[in-house]
Amino acid sequence: MTNKKDLDGALAWIDLTGKVAHVTGGAKGIGKGIATALAMAGARVMVSDINLEGAQAVAAEIGGAAMALDVTDRASCENAVKATVDRFGQLDVLINNAGVVQTGPVVDFSEEDWDSVFAVNTKGIFLMAKAAIPALSESDNAAIVNTASIAGKKGHANMSAYCGSKFAAVGITQSLAFELAPKAIRVNAICPGIVGTAMWLEH
């Protein structure tokens, strides 16, 4: 569970009062921590996840809203942005945090698992950004933050799919930063190390 006391100190200088954020993959792990931190900083938060019950539990904890989202589906992503704007009237921050991991040597790695990893970790960023850019363009202080990984900066054995997808996430982030700068939309990525979340412990 996120340590509120630790977050209080870390967020003392951040004020997101009046801002609206959408966090994908927010039902647990890093996504839950991000959603909690945003809410503590004053933002109104839409928590989305393919696991709706988990998203609802987080939303209940932080006083936000929740919805089901499949980041690999264009219509689902478009609906996620629309639902956020319908609920809160705007969108200022998009957190592309949804992610999956599959590991193993390439010779034994299935094509289905490869496609699944890239669909969530890479295509999901594309679809959510594409859906959100029009709404973000209406904000006077907009940002997109993509959850990449240290695995997106250095390759590792038996992690070709995951590393490849996270390298792609970094590249997409850098390209979008240049592309959206004229619209005053900041785009950044975070690159966490291995965190003891369910994604790693249960895969």
Side-chain angles (χ1 to χ4, degrees):
M1 188 170 181
T2 305
N3 189 316
K4 186 177 185 300
K5 185 176 292 186
D6 290 343
L7 283 175
D8 278 337
L11 298 173
W13 58 277
I14 299 174
D15 183 5
L16 296 178
T17 302
K19 301 302 181 183
V20 173
H22 187 117
V23 181
T24 74
K28 55 189 177 182
I30 292 174
K32 178 180 179 180
I34 292 172
T36 302
L38 289 167
M40 289 177 63
R44 292 168 290 167
V45 183
M46 176 68 80
V47 181
S48 67
D49 202 286
I50 201 163
N51 171 10
L52 177 58
E53 288 187 2
Q56 290 172 329
V58 173
E61 284 186 27
I62 67 174
M67 64 179 298
L69 170 64
D70 177 358
V71 297
T72 72
D73 180 80
R74 176 183 57 80
S76 184
C77 293
E78 291 173 350
N79 181 61
V81 173
K82 182 178 185 301
T84 303
V85 175
D86 286 349
R87 175 65 180 269
F88 297 116
Q90 65 197 67
L91 177 62
D92 304 285
V93 181
L94 169 64
I95 308 292
N96 283 315
N97 176 74
V100 295
V101 61
Q102 294 286 349
T103 60
V106 166
V107 69
D108 298 322
F109 208 86
S110 73
E111 183 178 354
E112 292 76 19
D113 283 345
W114 183 278
D115 289 345
S116 174
V117 170
F118 272 84
V120 176
N121 296 356
T122 305
K123 184 179 179 181
I125 293 175
F126 159 69
L127 289 177
M128 279 302 296
K130 183 178 178 68
I133 287 168
L136 291 170
S137 297
E138 298 297 318
S139 171
D140 60 0
N141 191 14
I144 297 174
V145 180
N146 302 320
T147 300
S149 170
I150 57 168
K153 303 176 80 173
K154 180 181 180 181
H156 300 272
N158 300 322
M159 295 181 64
S160 293
Y162 186 73
C163 288
S165 70
K166 292 301 186 176
F167 267 82
V170 172
I172 293 167
T173 300
Q174 292 175 348
S175 294
L176 279 177
F178 286 109
E179 181 177 329
L180 300 181
K183 297 179 181 291
I185 300 173
R186 302 182 309 283
V187 186
N188 291 280
I190 59 172
C191 294
I194 294 177
V195 180
T197 62
M199 186 182 82
W200 281 104
L201 299 177
E202 298 173 6
H203 88 277

